[in-house]
Amino acid sequence: DEELLEAQLRIDELTGDIADAERGIGDTRKEVRATGALLQERAGELYVTGGSSPELGAFDDDDFSDASARQEYLDVAATRDQEMIDALRVVNKVLGEQLGELEAAKAKADAEKARLDSARADLEAANVRQSELLEQTEGELAELIQEERERREREAAERARREAEAEARDNANDDSNGGSNDDGSNDDGSNDGG
């Protein structure tokens, strides 16, 4: 029973781990969707503007200083875009790891449940065997008790028969001695011993 309780506790703990992993995966998926949405928005902006950022419209194409600022802005925007892409890759990697951990936790929980089910089945089988042995033993004991009772009854009957035979012999001997009593007197009241 203690082993079954420990196994059930391990299963409960693994179930909690699975729930935690599923929550973490849910959070990571939200992060993937948010980062993906930002990248899609950014890609849409670049498509609409022909590859340049809409914020660059504020710069004058003829001014050299604006060209330098424009290039600096493009570099910052490209870096930001790359950081979003890198973040999406990291989040996707984390999501993959979490999914792997979730599957491992589920497999471990399933194995523990199978072990627990097997232990329960073994315990139930042992209980059935024990009940069968108890019934068999009780049956054998009842037979032995009955046999002993019958043996005692036979002995008592045999003893009673022997006592009856002995009494009958004693009575027959008394009759064959001419009806004399143990004190030597006859039945007619006279005394043989004179």
Side-chain angles (χ1 to χ4, degrees), residues 5-182:
L5 287 175
E6 288 176 9
Q8 187 61 54
L9 289 174
R10 284 192 300 272
I11 289 172
D12 292 345
E13 183 179 320
L14 290 170
T15 301
D17 292 347
I18 289 170
D20 291 344
E22 287 175 339
R23 277 191 296 277
I25 287 170
D27 293 344
T28 303
R29 284 185 171 151
K30 287 178 189 173
E31 193 174 338
V32 166
R33 283 192 296 270
T35 304
L38 287 174
L39 282 172
Q40 282 182 334
E41 183 181 321
R42 180 76 178 133
E45 289 174 0
L46 291 174
Y47 179 77
V48 168
T49 61
S52 65
S53 183
E55 292 86 5
L56 291 178
F59 293 105
D60 185 5
D61 288 340
D62 296 333
D63 188 352
F64 181 71
S65 64
D66 280 351
S68 171
R70 183 178 192 173
Q71 184 59 45
E72 189 174 322
Y73 178 79
L74 286 174
D75 290 344
V76 168
T79 301
R80 188 183 72 219
D81 292 347
Q82 188 59 49
E83 286 173 355
M84 281 195 296
I85 291 170
D86 292 343
L88 184 59
R89 283 187 184 134
V90 168
V91 170
N92 274 325
K93 182 180 178 192
V94 168
L95 179 60
E97 290 169 356
Q98 287 175 333
L99 288 171
E101 290 170 4
L102 175 64
E103 290 306 313
K106 284 182 178 180
K108 192 173 181 180
D110 288 344
E112 196 65 32
K113 285 178 186 174
R115 195 175 74 75
L116 177 62
D117 290 344
S118 175
R120 281 185 180 147
D122 290 346
L123 181 61
E124 288 175 16
N127 285 339
V128 167
R129 279 193 304 273
Q130 187 176 14
S131 294
E132 289 171 350
L133 285 173
L134 180 61
E135 288 175 15
Q136 179 183 355
T137 302
E138 287 174 345
E140 290 173 358
L141 185 59
E143 285 179 24
L144 290 173
I145 290 171
Q146 182 62 31
E147 288 173 6
E148 181 63 17
R149 185 177 296 131
E150 290 170 358
R151 185 187 67 77
R152 287 182 181 182
E153 288 173 359
R154 282 192 307 271
E155 284 179 357
E158 180 65 23
R159 197 171 29 255
R161 185 189 61 77
R162 278 185 275 164
E163 288 174 1
E165 285 177 358
E167 188 176 324
R169 273 194 309 270
D170 287 347
N171 287 340
N173 284 340
D174 286 345
D175 289 342
S176 67
N177 287 336
S180 64
N181 291 331
D182 288 341

